[in-house]
């Protein structure tokens, strides 16, 4: 007996996420596994005909070369459903019309996701319905707790998938192999050997018309609160017995519970800034506050930096800086592990001792290690030599990886509810300090390096 096609129902299908990330990700999934049977049901208030939606799917999936037959089947079976206001009743009616298992994907701004979940409470949902929710999960700790409580009323936790697509990047998963399969590194992976860690996600992209969501979130909530904190967990957590659930979320939780702001000081441990007009990659970019839909009074930051400390035997005393900015000079998405300098050098070696830095590039996938070596002209003078390798691109985009696991009901790359809440707990004092204007909102020119903080 062949399995029924999965109904991939996207709420907010008219938005940026669906067109730019979800559908192309799905295309890569179908390209690597053409056997998957599904239809994509786009749901939004915006008007679209089935034919327009099918054409969009054809064109987006087609770019991923997922094979004509698989693509045509998905496209012709797909439908557009216009709603008035995403009421629970409208959504249940759409779901009940569908044959086969459904994944209801909330590609909505977080407030709208909360409202829809509240409205679905008390309604009869199809058996076996899977819910997939985008980050940010809620808008603060209390909001995340409320959302988790609502979800628990809708479906059992094993049918809830909280999505953070950074966990679908093979570069991020690469951290596990690099750490736990290299004796050389794992034996040096402690505060005794490591001086500081930086996890950076800088991008050249400016707002690109996303004010509706971004202006109420900002860089801290959009990037640091979920993406970079989860990456930090993989970089710093204890060794799992197996790469599986519940080991990974348990160890992430263990790490997050020990995580505090550097010096317990939300003001000194954080920095926020927003871009002014400038030039990025040869293109003029207006100041953030001049962008369409931005309310300057919200004081939304486009660059956020926070330094944390994990207070356990392995990491106490090691500053871990998470930083992300928009409209910067270069795309730089890396994990940098800075080792301590040698305590002693033999007399006669000159030039100071360069420290070892391990760099794991998240985009593009790259690994590098800087080592001290002698120079080619002077055998007793030290210099830094960089070893590096490009690791190639995965055929699956992060959203392809994530969607495949949701369709297979595998939680490995899903964010567990308590982990989502704990991420908010870590940053809550910073959010409060910024709201109370206790941290100045600096400025940087679009296309600049965004003024790096000196290392702690
Ligand atoms: P958009 O601002 O593009 O919103 C998506 C759609 O939601 C809109 O097209 C709109 O469709 C609908 N919508 C429903 N209620 C509201 C409301 N109250 N305000 C505004 N729109 C509403 O968001 P994105 O697609 O960019 O993001 C959706 C989610 O995905 C967010 O939670 C975001 O954090 C997450 N995400 C986005 C990424 C991205 O790069 N875009 C990356 C990673 C995560 P309509 O009016 O037609 O109903």
């Amino acid at each position: 007996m062949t399995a029924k096609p999965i109904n991939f129902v996207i709420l907010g299908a008219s938005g940026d996420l669906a067109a730019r990330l979800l559908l192309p990700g799905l295309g890569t999934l179908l390209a690597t596994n053409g056997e998957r049977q599904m239809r994509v049901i786009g749901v939004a208030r915006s008007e679209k005909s089935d034919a327009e939606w099918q054409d969009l799917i054809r064109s987006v999936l087609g770019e991923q070369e997922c094979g004509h037959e698989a693509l045509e089947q998905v496209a012709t079976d797909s439908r557009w459903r216009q709603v008035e206001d995403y009421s629970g009743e409208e959504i249940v009616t759409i779901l009940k019309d569908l044959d086969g298992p459904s994944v209801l994907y909330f590609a909505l701004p977080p407030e709208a996701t909360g409202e829809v979940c509240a409205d679905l409470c008390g309604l009869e949902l199809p058996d076996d319905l899977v819910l997939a929710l985008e980050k940010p999960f809620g808008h603060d700790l209390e909001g995340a707790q409320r959302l988790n409580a609502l979800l628990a009323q809708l479906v059992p936790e094993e049918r809830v998938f909280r999505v953070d697509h950074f966990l679908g990047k093979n570069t991020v998963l690469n951290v596990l192999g690099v750490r736990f399969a290299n004796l050389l590194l794992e034996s040096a992976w402690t505060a005794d050997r490591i001086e500081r860690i930086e996890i950076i996600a800088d991008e050249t992209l400016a707002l690109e018309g996303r004010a509706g969501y971004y202006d109420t979130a900002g860089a801290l909530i959009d990037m640091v609160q979920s993406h970079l904190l989860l990456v930090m967990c993989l970089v710093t957590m204890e060794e799992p017995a197996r790469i599986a659930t519940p080991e990974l979320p348990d160890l992430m939780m263990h790490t997050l519970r020990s995580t505090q702001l550097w010096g317990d000081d939300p003001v000194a441990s954080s920095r926020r800034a927003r871009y002014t007009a400038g030039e990025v990659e040869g293109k003029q970019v207006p100041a953030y506050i001049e962008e369409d839909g931005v309310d300057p009074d919200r004081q939304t930051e486009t660059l956020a930096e926070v330094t944390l400390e994990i207070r356990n035997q392995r990491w106490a005393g090691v500053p871990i800086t998470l930083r992300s900015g928009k409209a910067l000079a270069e795309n730089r998405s890396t994990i940098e592990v800075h080792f301590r300098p040698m305590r002693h050098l033999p007399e006669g070696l000159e030039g100071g001792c360069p420290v070892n830095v391990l760099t794991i590039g998240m985009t593009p996938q790259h690994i590098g290690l800087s080592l001290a070596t002698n120079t080619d002209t002077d055998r007793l003078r030290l210099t830094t030599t960089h070893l590096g390798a490009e690791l190639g691109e995965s055929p699956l985009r992060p959203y392809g990886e994530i969607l495949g696991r949701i369709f297979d009901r595998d939680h490995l790359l899903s964010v567990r509810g308590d982990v989502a809440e704990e991420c908010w707990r870590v940053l809550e004092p910073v959010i409060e300090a910024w709201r109370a204007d206790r941290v100045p909102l600096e400025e940087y020119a679009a296309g600049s390096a965004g003024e790096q903080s000196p290392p702690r």
Side-chain angles (χ1 to χ4, degrees):
M1 194 176 76
T2 50
K4 288 185 173 165
I6 292 176
N7 304 302
F8 179 32
V9 184
I10 308 176
L11 302 182
S14 54
D16 180 72
L17 177 78
R20 207 166 52 81
L21 295 171
L22 275 182
L23 292 179
L26 180 66
T28 61
L29 179 67
L30 295 174
T32 53
N33 182 351
E35 307 292 290
R36 286 179 187 273
Q37 308 260 312
M38 67 176 49
R39 56 177 79 94
V40 189
I41 313 297
V43 180
R45 295 171 301 192
S46 316
E47 195 178 341
K48 216 184 266 298
S49 66
D50 284 342
E52 285 170 320
W53 179 236
Q54 291 166 355
D55 282 347
L56 180 77
I57 289 175
R58 265 183 210 102
S59 75
V60 179
L61 298 195
E63 283 165 21
Q64 308 305 322
E65 295 171 359
C66 61
H68 185 72
E69 260 177 53
L71 159 67
E72 197 42 48
Q73 192 60 53
V74 174
T76 32
D77 287 352
S78 293
R79 297 284 179 272
W80 184 261
R81 293 287 176 261
Q82 189 180 4
V83 287
E84 211 167 288
D85 60 359
Y86 296 96
S87 72
E89 303 223 335
E90 286 178 297
I91 292 166
V92 169
T93 305
I94 293 169
L95 293 171
K96 288 215 163 136
D97 264 1
L98 300 168
D99 189 23
S102 296
V103 171
L104 184 62
Y105 198 104
F106 291 78
L108 293 169
E111 321 77 64
T113 294
E115 285 164 20
V116 174
C117 287
D119 213 38
L120 285 171
C121 279
L123 299 180
E124 195 188 331
L125 299 176
D127 291 343
D128 234 20
L129 177 67
V130 166
L131 303 181
L133 294 98
E134 266 297 334
K135 63 95 224 176
F137 313 104
H139 214 74
D140 53 20
L141 175 58
E142 210 193 319
Q145 289 165 337
R146 227 179 305 122
L147 187 55
N148 278 335
L150 278 175
L151 292 171
Q153 292 180 50
L154 296 178
V155 298
E157 177 68 14
E158 63 265 21
R159 286 198 264 128
V160 177
F161 289 79
R162 296 175 194 77
V163 174
D164 184 311
H165 74 280
F166 265 49
L167 292 183
K169 287 178 183 258
N170 64 338
T171 45
V172 170
L173 296 178
N174 185 31
V175 169
L176 298 175
V178 168
R179 273 197 61 188
F180 298 117
N182 289 294
L183 181 65
L184 211 64
L185 292 177
E186 185 52 12
S187 56
W189 215 254
T190 75
D192 293 340
R193 294 283 182 263
I194 291 173
E195 190 173 60
R196 68 190 154 94
I197 297 175
E198 290 175 9
I199 302 175
I200 294 165
D202 284 349
E203 58 181 1
T204 53
L205 269 187
L207 190 59
E208 309 288 323
R210 289 184 65 211
Y213 157 69
Y214 192 87
D215 200 43
T216 55
L220 186 70
I221 288 176
D222 187 48
M223 294 298 296
V224 179
Q225 187 274 333
S226 183
H227 294 327
L228 300 191
L229 268 176
L230 294 175
V231 174
M232 181 199 81
C233 287
L234 296 179
V235 172
T236 55
M237 72 188 189
E238 296 303 311
E239 183 194 348
R242 55 188 70 77
I243 306 298
T245 52
E247 278 85 347
L248 282 195
D250 281 353
L251 290 170
M252 284 179 160
M253 221 17 218
H254 174 260
T255 304
L256 286 167
R257 280 213 195 95
S258 307
T259 304
Q260 304 295 342
L261 298 176
W262 187 254
D264 292 312
D265 183 344
V267 175
S269 66
S270 72
R271 200 163 76 82
R272 59 178 182 149
R274 109 186 137 181
Y275 64 81
T276 55
E279 189 180 304
V280 183
E281 294 175 328
K283 213 176 102 196
Q284 287 304 315
V285 172
Y288 177 75
I289 54 169
E290 302 296 335
E291 299 262 21
D292 272 354
V294 167
D295 176 357
D297 291 342
R298 283 206 188 103
Q299 302 262 83
T300 302
E301 79 288 349
T302 57
L303 183 151
E305 187 181 286
V306 178
T307 302
L308 303 168
E309 180 181 20
I310 299 172
R311 297 204 182 130
N312 60 21
Q313 181 60 26
R314 188 187 281 270
W315 293 117
V318 177
I320 302 173
T321 298
L322 313 182
R323 164 194 145 120
S324 178
K326 273 193 170 300
L328 290 167
E330 54 170 351
N331 285 315
R332 183 165 160 244
S333 190
T334 59
I335 300 159
E336 286 183 7
V337 180
H338 295 250
F339 289 84
R340 294 190 185 280
M342 295 292 289
R343 267 199 293 263
H344 173 76
L345 275 185
E347 265 179 49
L349 281 179
E350 289 171 19
C353 184
V355 295
N356 302 131
V357 181
L358 174 74
T359 308
I360 301 174
M362 294 186 277
T363 323
Q365 178 153 243
H366 171 266
I367 187 144
L369 180 63
S370 63
L371 291 177
T373 60
N374 57 4
T375 60
D376 45 5
T377 51
D378 182 346
R379 306 260 148 76
L380 294 179
R381 177 164 288 279
L382 293 169
T383 186
T384 302
T385 297
H386 299 281
L387 311 180
E390 303 301 325
L391 300 180
E393 288 299 311
S394 160
L396 267 189
R397 286 200 186 189
Y399 272 98
E401 180 78 48
I402 296 274
L403 288 174
R405 291 192 188 253
I406 296 176
F407 299 147
D408 294 343
R409 305 207 175 181
D410 166 357
H411 277 84
L412 184 69
L413 303 181
S414 167
V415 180
R416 208 169 61 190
D418 54 349
V419 171
E421 289 179 17
E422 198 65 12
C423 286
W424 285 111
R425 197 277 305 155
V426 170
L427 293 180
E428 196 92 312
V430 175
I431 295 169
E432 278 168 20
W434 289 13
R435 279 193 192 134
D437 220 7
R438 289 171 55 215
V439 175
L441 181 61
E442 298 165 22
E443 292 191 329
Y444 61 97
S448 70
E451 306 300 332
Q452 316 275 338
S453 293
R456 288 171 201 269

